Amino acid sequence: MDESITLQDIRRDTEFDLLDAQSLAIRVFNKTSDPQPSASTTKLSQDLFVGVLLFITYTQDNGTQDDVMDYITDPRWDSALQMLLYFQFDDRPFRQIEAAKWRSRFLEQVADIDDESAEALVQQCRMQWKDVLRAPAQQIAQTVVKRQRSICIFDQVEVNAALGRISGIGTAKKTAGRLILENAQINQGHRAVPNSRTPVAALDKAAKNFGNLLEPIKRLQSRLALSSCMKPKDFYIPPMLLLGDPGIGKTFLAMQLSQILGVQMDKISAGGAQAGFQFTGSHASYNDARPGSIIKLLADGTSAMPVVVVDEVDKISTGNYPVLPVLLDLMEQETAKQFRDEFLDITFDASKIIFILTANSLANVPLPLLSRCEVFDIPRPLPQQRRLIIQGIADQLQRKIRKKIALDQSSCFMLSEQMDVDLRGVKRLVEDAYARAVQRKESVAYVWPSNLNFAAQENTDDHKTPRYLH
């Protein structure tokens, strides 16, 4: 990126904000060294860049080039399509007349796009933006990682050989594979092992807010404290299996841990028909082949020990591509050190990944899997604990939207006492309350009793609670 132009040059809260963002985008795209795709794809990619520039400008103080790339690669997006459509749910960057018109045109472009096309677009954006946005950050990162505790995850000889092999496969597959392999070259394949002393203290706060998770939190603290005294190559957190009803905070613990450690996180359902391929990738000869989630997680991130949530292991797939053999390999340190991605035909070290498994019952959890995990029974949070959780959700929302909107305390009390609404439903109700407050320009967010009753009814249905935009 031209060093004379920064995000701080975008004139926020003026009629010139869109023009400044578009001017910056033009300079960036004129400097990209990647081969250009079709004109329509380039236009959409450039428009997405403008939208992200505006979003970062209005939602983050002192936004950086890294923040722009991190926005589209944030693992908390459920999908690329969700990220593209999120512009319609947050109007802060688009309150100026011209910016609002621009958003309407952008949303028209993506209105009919499907999941596969959205993923392909975002991959193309990553390739186009990487040289310009990431180059300075990579140079800094290489210096930082050498100073930090780190281990070699990707052997560079193998990575270079894999880059040569993918030249003979189809364009879309080549793009996906090349991006991962180029990311695997960052820091000469090394990934950091974080300082675990700070997370030990930070987990105390999580323990206070989530009393029902106290036992696994304390166990994590003791493991992190012990690992902090070890050499990076010996750093290891044994897999944990959290047992309990849906919606009681099991996945939240994994999210908290990844945030506290400052590492990337991924989540996969063990009941998926092709769950094994999701981890390992599938051979490049298959029509719908793609790299696995494990190599992508380690290549895209800076940490050797990301958090992986494996949900519903009591419903583990036993189909043609079962996940159990893959999980068993990943949870044995010796085999995980030579984990193979089938799509890229490359081995790498996945032995430091922190696995958190969830299950509603032990009845159908395979015994070999149980033998590799520490099992924790997670009780439902009591009303007092639920109040802390609800207030925490509200506080987090307030920080994100940067508005002084308080959650109505009677609503908080009502939600905490409604034990038939699980934490997923609670989070959705609080988000809905804040969305209404933003739309009505109110300073207090209220949960409507009718919504509360509907959420309670949903929990009696025999299906999963749907996933909502975060």
Side-chain angles (χ1 to χ4, degrees), residues 326-365:
V326 181
L327 277 179
L328 295 180
D329 282 346
L330 282 167
M331 292 181 187
E332 286 288 350
Q333 281 194 284
E334 291 308 311
T335 53
K337 286 179 180 178
Q338 291 293 315
F339 191 73
R340 175 172 292 277
D341 185 86
E342 296 295 334
F343 180 89
L344 296 169
D345 191 21
I346 184 175
T347 59
F348 55 97
D349 187 350
S351 64
K352 306 305 177 188
I353 294 175
I354 301 174
F355 282 95
I356 297 184
L357 286 61
T358 73
N360 298 333
S361 166
L362 286 181
N364 296 315
V365 179

Side-chain angles (χ1 to χ4, degrees), residues 157-209:
V157 173
E158 278 208 59
V159 171
N160 291 331
L163 277 168
R165 284 194 298 271
I166 66 169
S167 61
I169 63 178
T171 303
K173 295 178 185 178
K174 185 191 301 182
T175 299
R178 187 177 69 175
L179 176 63
I180 289 175
L181 291 170
E182 288 180 351
N183 286 339
Q185 292 177 318
I186 296 174
N187 302 322
Q188 295 82 49
H190 283 70
R191 295 296 181 267
V193 176
N195 184 336
S196 55
R197 293 185 178 88
T198 302
V200 168
L203 282 167
D204 281 332
K205 183 177 181 181
K208 291 176 183 177
N209 291 339

Side-chain angles (χ1 to χ4, degrees), residues 132-417:
V132 180
L133 294 180
R134 280 300 195 200
Q138 288 177 8
Q139 292 168 8
I140 295 170
Q142 288 180 7
T143 303
V144 172
V145 168
K146 288 177 182 178
R147 293 175 184 172
Q148 290 178 340
R149 290 150 50 89
S150 67
I151 60 174
C152 183
I153 300 297
F154 300 103
D155 180 278
Q156 295 302 285
V157 173
E158 278 208 59
V159 171
N160 291 331
L163 277 168
R165 284 194 298 271
I166 66 169
S167 61
I169 63 178
T171 303
K173 295 178 185 178
K174 185 191 301 182
T175 299
R178 187 177 69 175
L179 176 63
I180 289 175
L181 291 170
E182 288 180 351
N183 286 339
Q185 292 177 318
I186 296 174
N187 302 322
Q188 295 82 49
H190 283 70
R191 295 296 181 267
V193 176
N195 184 336
S196 55
R197 293 185 178 88
T198 302
V200 168
L203 282 167
D204 281 332
K205 183 177 181 181
K208 291 176 183 177
N209 291 339
F210 279 75
N212 63 323
L213 295 171
L214 184 61
E215 187 179 355
I217 287 174
K218 292 297 183 186
R219 189 62 171 160
L220 276 171
Q221 286 178 311
S222 64
R223 287 289 184 177
L224 286 168
L226 181 63
S227 294
S228 67
C229 303
M230 298 178 177
K231 295 179 179 179
K233 66 182 182 66
D234 297 321
F235 199 109
Y236 181 65
I237 305 294
M240 303 173 69
L241 172 58
L242 307 184
L243 182 67
D245 296 335
I248 59 174
K250 301 190 295 292
T251 303
F252 174 84
L253 176 61
M255 293 175 63
Q256 282 288 103
L257 181 61
S258 68
Q259 291 172 10
I260 289 169
L261 290 173
V263 302
Q264 57 271 33
M265 184 188 115
D266 196 14
K267 181 179 178 181
I268 189 169
S269 173
Q274 294 188 346
F277 279 170
Q278 286 179 266
F279 278 121
T280 65
S282 46
H283 196 276
S285 60
Y286 290 111
N287 289 333
D288 58 349
R290 63 184 61 190
S293 62
I294 298 298
I295 192 169
K296 184 177 186 302
L297 190 65
L298 288 165
D300 290 354
T302 59
S303 174
M305 46 179 293
V307 176
V308 173
V309 179
V310 186
D311 209 18
E312 298 183 321
V313 293
D314 50 338
K315 300 177 183 177
I316 201 160
S317 169
T318 56
N320 293 332
Y321 315 106
V323 71
L324 181 59
V326 181
L327 277 179
L328 295 180
D329 282 346
L330 282 167
M331 292 181 187
E332 286 288 350
Q333 281 194 284
E334 291 308 311
T335 53
K337 286 179 180 178
Q338 291 293 315
F339 191 73
R340 175 172 292 277
D341 185 86
E342 296 295 334
F343 180 89
L344 296 169
D345 191 21
I346 184 175
T347 59
F348 55 97
D349 187 350
S351 64
K352 306 305 177 188
I353 294 175
I354 301 174
F355 282 95
I356 297 184
L357 286 61
T358 73
N360 298 333
S361 166
L362 286 181
N364 296 315
V365 179
L367 290 178
L369 197 60
L370 274 179
S371 68
R372 289 164 170 79
C373 300
E374 294 184 86
V375 181
F376 298 89
D377 286 301
I378 310 299
R380 283 186 171 273
L382 300 173
Q384 183 177 359
Q385 295 169 346
R386 284 169 64 92
R387 280 194 285 277
L388 291 172
I389 295 167
I390 294 164
Q391 191 57 58
I393 294 170
D395 291 343
Q396 187 179 50
L397 274 173
Q398 183 165 293
R399 287 193 299 272
K400 286 182 176 180
I401 65 177
R402 298 181 183 275
K403 291 184 179 293
K404 292 184 178 180
I405 300 176
L407 179 64
D408 170 56
Q409 288 306 296
S410 63
S411 296
C412 182
F413 182 83
M414 180 173 59
L415 276 174
S416 68
E417 296 290 330

Side-chain angles (χ1 to χ4, degrees), residues 430-445:
V430 174
E431 289 175 342
D432 290 345
Y434 269 80
R436 285 194 298 272
V438 169
Q439 292 170 341
R440 299 181 177 192
K441 299 182 179 180
E442 296 174 343
S443 60
V444 179

